[in-house]
Amino acid sequence: MFRDDLLAGKRVLITGGGTGLGKSMGRRFLELGAELAICGRRAEVLEATAQEHRAATGGAVSTHVCDVRDVDAVEALVEELFAARPLAALVNNAAGNFVCKSEELSPRALDAVLGIVLKGSVSCTLACGRRWLAAGAPGTVLSIATTYAWTGSAYVLPSAMAKAGVVAMTQSLAVEWGGRGIRLNAIAPGPFPTQGAWERLVPKPELAAHFETHNPLCRPGRHQELADLATYLLADGSAYVNGAVVTIDGGAWLQGAGTFSFLKDMLSEEDWQALKPKKAR
Ligand code: HXC
Ligand code: NAP
């Protein structure tokens, strides 16, 4: 769906780029000519992914061990990356999450998720943004949010709070920095199967099918679909898209919100016909 050199010359940092959706986005960016830097906490995971990427695409990938909760580590990483050549884009993708009854959350559990998702995203964004502003250089920030950033969700309270904060950051800085060449957007995905998410969010294997198909399209998202959306939002052709949160969930959250959506599963064709006035049947 894109020109092969769409992202040529762009150097992109993806936090949490060693696994799941971060890995899939990275592969797509490389296929389209980008240069990649990926970070996470596990060196061996990052290196294995980088090797796979290089073998598949021949593209340049650097790996960086960095816990995004540690502001000093984020500063050091971004400084190192910009010293070589300014980044063109940052993808705030690293996240932590699990399902838990909120009244049973420990302070450390709350800190862990808020630290990775909210503090990590803002630290990375400010570290890159300050450098882009100082250099008068253009930059793009893309954050991976969720649809429950605006609806909230039971059982994932820290993640819902943190993702709502990431959306607020995106919208605030899109206005503050938009006139100075820095664009910020976010993607709000519905369920896209990944090992990291499914291990922590699908409490029983038999619930996976419900999680994956409870949307108007009756299927989960495909990684390439999200990677292509991310590509568009990083590409120069989306220059006028700023402060947007683009949903990619097959219509799942609207289905959940619509008062009468449940009728789909409750009424047979016979029931629908019986509802019509007699002369219209
Ligand atoms: C309750 C839990 C818990 C759970 C951990 N904790 N898991 N509490 N229920 N299931 C508590 C621990 O007991 C501890 O508190 C505190 O959280 C920190 O846990 P640690 O294991 O010491 O922390 P750490 O190693 O830093 O791990 C962070 C993590 C972990 C967030 C807890 O899950 C992680 O590393 N996640 C990274 C990857 C990830 O989550 N991927 C999924 C993203 S999917 P105490 O008090 O006991 O010390 C996603 C999709 C959203 O976001 C939308 C889907 C549609
Ligand atoms: P994932 O594979 O578990 O990805 C999370 C990544 O974040 C991992 O690579 C992890 O690597 C990294 N990470 C976690 N804590 C970190 C920290 N403190 N510092 C640096 N890196 C850290 O899960 P995913 O499903 O691909 O999720 C990717 C993004 O999509 C997340 O923002 C998630 O909220 C969002 N999302 C996913 C879905 C879905 O259905 N999959 C739906 C909506 C939104 P290390 O453990 O090695 O650090």
Side-chain angles (χ1 to χ4, degrees):
M1 102 188 241
F2 297 120
R3 238 178 39 215
D4 284 353
D5 64 347
L6 189 73
L7 300 180
K10 290 192 190 296
R11 189 149 168 261
V12 183
L13 168 61
I14 305 179
T15 67
T19 65
L21 295 176
K23 180 175 175 181
S24 299
M25 285 187 280
R27 177 67 59 87
R28 192 72 180 120
F29 300 162
L30 284 164
E31 285 169 358
L32 298 170
E35 191 185 312
L36 212 61
I38 56 176
C39 77
R41 293 167 299 176
R42 293 167 297 165
E44 67 289 359
V45 170
L46 293 168
E47 201 37 55
T49 293
Q51 276 174 20
E52 268 185 58
H53 281 335
R54 290 180 198 118
T57 67
V61 188
S62 63
T63 62
H64 309 267
V65 172
C66 175
D67 185 329
V68 295
R69 290 172 289 193
D70 179 344
V71 187
D72 295 336
V74 167
E75 270 298 318
L77 168 61
V78 173
E79 180 61 29
E80 179 195 337
L81 291 171
F82 272 76
R85 184 160 73 87
L87 290 171
L90 161 70
V91 180
N92 287 314
N93 167 77
N97 203 357
F98 48 77
V99 285
C100 176
K101 290 164 81 175
S102 298
E103 64 273 27
E104 291 174 7
L105 278 168
S106 74
R108 283 197 70 240
L110 190 62
D111 269 359
V113 176
L114 291 175
I116 301 168
V117 179
L118 183 57
K119 191 176 156 202
S121 299
V122 76
S123 299
C124 292
T125 301
L126 292 177
C128 291
R130 283 187 191 111
R131 286 167 176 82
W132 285 320
L133 291 173
T140 302
V141 179
L142 177 64
S143 297
I144 311 302
T146 66
T147 50
Y148 59 64
W150 51 84
T151 60
S153 175
Y155 309 118
V156 285
L157 176 69
S159 173
M161 291 167 60
K163 295 288 191 185
V166 169
V167 168
M169 175 190 78
T170 299
Q171 294 166 329
S172 304
L173 293 177
V175 174
E176 195 172 334
W177 290 351
R180 289 186 278 169
I182 302 172
R183 284 193 301 135
L184 293 97
N185 292 296
I187 292 178
F192 283 72
T194 66
Q195 190 184 348
W198 263 228
E199 272 175 12
R200 294 171 175 93
L201 301 175
V202 180
K204 294 177 175 181
E206 60 269 29
L207 298 181
H210 177 84
F211 193 40
E212 290 166 14
T213 60
H214 196 62
N215 65 65
L217 274 52
C218 299
R219 67 163 176 88
R222 298 178 185 125
H223 283 213
Q224 174 131 7
E225 293 170 330
L226 186 139
D228 280 339
L229 175 58
T231 299
Y232 169 72
L233 291 170
L234 293 195
D236 295 339
S238 65
Y240 205 54
V241 183
N242 184 32
V245 186
V246 184
T247 299
I248 179 164
D249 73 343
W253 90 266
L254 287 170
Q255 173 174 294
T259 307
F260 296 101
S261 301
F262 74 100
L263 291 180
K264 184 175 96 168
D265 302 321
M266 297 290 174
L267 296 188
S268 66
E269 188 50 36
E270 223 174 30
D271 294 330
W272 284 115
Q273 293 308 320
L275 285 170
K276 288 183 183 169
K278 274 207 177 78
K279 60 179 182 206
R281 279 181 211 166

